[in-house]
Amino acid sequence: MSEKHHTAPRPVTDGLDASLPGPDMDTVGHPLTLADVLALPVLSAGQPQVVTGVARLDRPVRWVHITELTDPASFLKGGELVLTTGMPLPEEPAGVRRYVDELADIGAAALVIELVRRYHRPPDALVHACEARGLPLVTLAKDVNFLEVTQVVHALILGNQAEEMRRTQRIHEAFTALTLRGAGPEEVVRAAAGMSGHTVVLENLVHQALICEPSGGTVEVALSDWERRSRATPPAGHTSVSGPGGWLVTSVEYQGERWGRVVMLPSLLGQTTPSTFGPAAVTVLERAAMTLTIARVIHSVSWERTAHRNLLRDLVGQRHRSPTDADARVAALGLPTKDCSFMAVLAEFPQEADATKGETLLSEELRRKGTQALVGVLGPTRLGILLFLRRGQPCSSVVEHVSRTVLESVPGTTVSTGSEATDLFGVARSFHEATRVAEATEPGQPYPPGRSYHEPSDIGLRRLLFALREDTRIQDFTERQLGRLLDHDARHGTDLLTTLRHYLDAAGNKTLAARSGGLSRETVYQRLRSIERILDCDLESGEHRTELHVALTVLDVLRAKRSRKDEPARA
């Protein structure tokens, strides 16, 4: 009987029976393995037993080949599961070794022999030959329909290939859409992690993790000791699994210039054995690298600047799962997290364009001076700076340098600070305080002597009320305290409000009040009685004077002309 009569025809994939059994594992994106095939009901019914090659059950099965020839290797291309009843096996050991050598040389996936017709146990020569060549040998104790095996396995292989093609097409379409809408690097890395189900990290040439999108784990686990682990993973000229951690890596480059690389971590973070990534994962990583290249070309902001800006915003908004996650992200960018303290600085610029300009200039100046900091735009006119201070390092000199650098680059900027924080968890509080100082600072308000920035201790009553000026309760209080007096002055053309101001500024001293207003004491007495009558109050009462003084301060704040927009810090 000729060989072709024993080989099942390749089935057409259209109209495959949907009830065909599949392997126990999801093989989409991964080749069908020997273990998968042996687990199929059509083969498991024959009670398969792996005699040799137990450690090689992960071999991919490319096709199934039925043979009763003594030299089947001439019909093989590699990766086939060879099925035989054992009838053609030579009797002499040398012939058996030749038979096995030919299968091993061509790269057959395994030899499956049925122990029903000729043999009831595998020949010793066959077992020894398979062991010597590392060829998996599987025996079947019961009769199996080989044609049905080929139909089922081929259907799975072809179906898997078709699904892989569809998945690859979807991957290409997704990254093409990201490119067309000008997606930034964060969105590209996020998409790669979502498509692959793996943690994806973008790093620069000095092994700083700029963007990390975790999947199935935490940022802390993914980025822990990042630089050491990354340097232990050597670069490759093409997409490949590399290093002791089994990372899938590929370079991001343009016209021969390398900018960094994008890394896909194994599904089980922290495992020490290399992980096998399927073709789909490789396609995702390569398309992500290509999309990142285009994003770098079309976006003017560098990856490092984007990474610093995003991390700063997440720290300000406390958008991290845990303090240890925040520590890991900061450390992966090459910044210290131990034996240092942190201080928030805010720069409020006169106009929106100045914030981006200030970000660039300040970042370059701090890097030149060796000052470690995160710098990023937090709002249209607001720039945030997080200073990393060594233990015992005076913060005032560092803040003063930062402030003067900002003021020299963009005159008219208002600089404010929060208090010093001992850990990253306190960074949000420090920025909150700096924001309160900024909100309480009127444009053009002079800095304290010897300083070019405002700090929390500078906030007095007027600055506190300035910060609360838009609160309707403050406005209502002021109107209830002074409304009738203001209405009286408006109707009668008087200026009792000024007399009240002089009186309160003089702490109730009528003589000083008269001198300040250029009036006689009798006139001041008369006007004060009118004020008491109109406001129905007792100006001799310290409590009433305090209430009126606060109301006057609020009135001054509300009437002050503002020369800039009030923009809250937005992280």
Side-chain angles (χ1 to χ4, degrees), residues 36 48 56 80 139 152 234 256 260 276 304 315 333 341 361 436 453:
D36 300 331
R56 296 178 172 84
E80 292 88 354
T139 61
V152 171
T276 300
E304 288 77 9
L315 290 172
L333 275 178
S341 59
L361 292 174
R436 290 289 173 261
Y453 60 90

Side-chain angles (χ1 to χ4, degrees), residues 232-244:
T233 305
H238 60 280
T239 305
S240 62
V241 176
S242 180

